[in-house]
Amino acid sequence: MSDPGAFGDGTRAVRAGLPEPVKHEPSVPGPVFAAHYHLPGDPTGPYTYGRDENPTWTLLERAIGELEAPGQDSAETLVFSSGMAAISSVLFSQLRAGDVAVLPNDGYQALPLVVEQMRAYGIEVRTAPTADDAQLDVLDGARLLWIETPSNPGLDVCDVRRLTEAAHARGCLVAVDNTLATPLGQRPLELGADFAVASGTKQLTGHGDLLLGYVVARDAGLMTAVRRWRKIAGAIPGPMEAWLAHRSLATLHLRADRQGTNALAVAEALKERPEVTGLRHPGLPDDPAYKVASRQMRRYGCVVSFSLPTRARADRFLDALRLVDDATSFGGVRSTAERRGRWGGDAVPEGFIRFSVGVEDTDDLVADVLRALDASAE
């Protein structure tokens, strides 16, 4: 696309990463399945070996870059086999033994595993909650600040611009996990971050049929080490997954708008239920995150979290839902929900529900939630 920064979200999503049109060629070329390429003589050109580059990745990386960093020609994007592969690539390519990293203590469930490995490598890790910009209090001397906003599963929000300015004043890099927001919800690089990182498994692709991750950096120079890590780890996506992801981007704006509308409707309905406590959604005007989220987010996401009085009540509620699958993911076109405490590791009550709202008819979905609450009452 000639100038992605000049277009709206829908136009960018539909056109992102498309090659120049060629007569009789498909508008989105099919996946390229290749472990090696014809390469006589000296190795020149972009495609030499299948672990390093692939034309299908190239188009997807261009597309994601146009969404995360429209108009930023210096930005560079790399895709990975999963969100955790993308997260690991930034942390382990940018940090060395003796460095200090600051991470949230209420973020994605796999982060404690990463912290354990970082400490085994001699990296000092400090943690603090996402809310109230608490990571500022442990930032001195850090090499890298890792932000997750909104946090998963608690949906707290921090001020990315404030934290980034404070980190940069201390010579600290900033990476933002943008999985829950997606680039249509917020653009971390425009808020000052050095890296935007996400799991494309979730709302970005939205159909629950592939695993994917990506990293976007404002400075291509920062990506040299990230690219090297991907090569060493071999954490590359399959061409079919990359092609499916690119195809799915075309409906991202439609899905995000409908899911956001549905999420707010579900949250408003849950507010009226006396058995529901701890209700969170950044788009609710009385949510603790609303003020900050409204400054830096353009869409509030598709996830609602809340608690029911007991584990048994939560299990009965989930079992009574007819339009919602009990599954451990979020961002899909079909609504999902789970009692998050069943996995351990998250500091949440036993009756805590993470509810990912899909694109079903709003009235049908709200009615199903209210009916399931009634059915689950003792």
Side-chain angles (χ1 to χ4, degrees):
M1 195 157 43
S2 58
D3 183 10
F7 298 106
D9 286 343
T11 303
R12 269 197 305 274
V14 168
R15 306 293 305 177
L18 297 184
E20 290 298 318
V22 176
K23 189 175 182 178
H24 306 308
E25 294 292 326
S27 57
V28 181
V32 175
F33 298 97
H36 60 267
Y37 306 88
H38 289 294
L39 196 66
D42 292 334
T44 58
Y47 305 114
T48 58
Y49 187 65
R51 188 184 62 243
D52 298 328
E53 292 291 348
N54 178 288
T56 312
W57 305 350
T58 299
L59 296 179
L60 176 60
E61 288 168 346
R62 186 188 306 165
I64 292 173
E66 289 174 4
L67 296 177
E68 281 280 6
Q72 298 185 40
D73 294 337
S74 63
E76 183 175 338
T77 304
L78 292 176
V79 290
F80 292 80
S81 53
S82 69
M84 282 308 302
I87 289 170
S88 299
S89 75
V90 173
L91 292 172
F92 293 116
S93 71
Q94 302 300 314
L95 295 167
R96 302 288 183 272
D99 285 343
V100 175
V102 175
L103 275 68
N105 64 10
D106 54 352
Y108 180 51
Q109 187 187 48
L111 283 183
L113 300 176
V114 178
V115 168
E116 182 180 342
Q117 191 61 54
M118 292 167 70
R119 286 173 172 158
Y121 287 162
I123 299 165
E124 179 184 341
V125 181
R126 304 171 188 162
T127 63
T130 298
D132 301 319
D133 301 339
Q135 289 172 294
L136 284 173
D137 296 335
V138 292
L139 199 54
D140 286 348
R143 162 69 179 165
L144 187 143
L145 167 63
W146 188 272
I147 296 170
E148 185 180 307
T149 182
S151 62
N152 173 27
L155 303 182
D156 279 316
V157 170
C158 60
D159 188 329
V160 175
R161 194 178 298 280
R162 181 188 181 203
L163 284 165
T164 297
E165 290 175 354
H168 287 167
R170 294 164 169 82
C172 177
L173 294 170
V174 179
V176 176
D177 186 328
N178 205 32
T179 301
L180 204 145
T182 82
L184 268 59
Q186 68 187 5
R187 299 193 194 111
L189 301 191
E190 290 183 358
L191 297 170
D194 300 291
F195 296 98
V197 187
S199 166
T201 308
K202 310 298 194 299
Q203 191 176 21
L204 187 83
T205 56
H207 292 82
D209 55 7
L210 61 89
L211 295 176
L212 192 86
Y214 69 82
V215 178
V216 186
R218 64 168 52 255
D219 179 359
L222 288 172
M223 291 296 266
T224 300
V226 178
R227 184 181 293 276
R228 182 172 181 270
W229 180 264
R230 184 177 72 172
K231 180 181 178 74
I232 293 169
I236 58 173
M240 190 66 185
E241 286 79 4
W243 182 83
L244 284 169
H246 195 176
R247 181 208 60 174
S248 298
L249 289 182
T251 60
L252 175 58
H253 65 297
L254 300 173
R255 292 184 279 108
D257 284 344
R258 180 57 173 265
Q259 288 172 280
T261 297
N262 281 354
L264 191 57
V266 167
E268 292 284 3
L270 289 170
K271 281 177 61 177
E272 306 304 317
R273 301 293 300 216
E275 69 269 49
V276 170
T277 59
L279 176 65
R280 298 297 305 272
H281 179 63
L284 286 171
D286 56 351
D287 188 274
Y290 180 76
K291 184 176 180 181
V292 175
S294 296
R295 290 201 303 265
Q296 67 189 23
M297 299 182 72
R298 294 172 297 123
R299 291 172 176 84
Y300 297 109
C302 63
V303 178
V304 177
S305 67
F306 60 97
S307 291
L308 292 174
T310 64
R311 171 177 178 169
R313 178 72 186 275
D315 286 337
R316 291 197 302 272
F317 166 72
L318 293 169
D319 188 58
L321 290 165
R322 295 173 181 167
L323 300 179
V324 183
D325 296 332
D326 195 336
T328 182
S329 192
F330 61 85
V333 292
R334 289 171 291 278
S335 291
T336 61
E338 70 170 334
R339 191 182 63 79
R340 193 64 184 162
R342 64 181 176 172
W343 298 102
D346 288 319
V348 295
E350 283 290 336
F352 179 93
I353 302 291
R354 185 181 69 182
F355 196 117
S356 171
V357 184
V359 301
E360 297 88 355
D361 286 336
T362 307
D363 290 345
D364 292 343
L365 191 58
V366 170
D368 190 44
V369 169
L370 296 179
R371 184 199 53 76
L373 284 173
D374 290 338
S376 64
E378 293 181 348

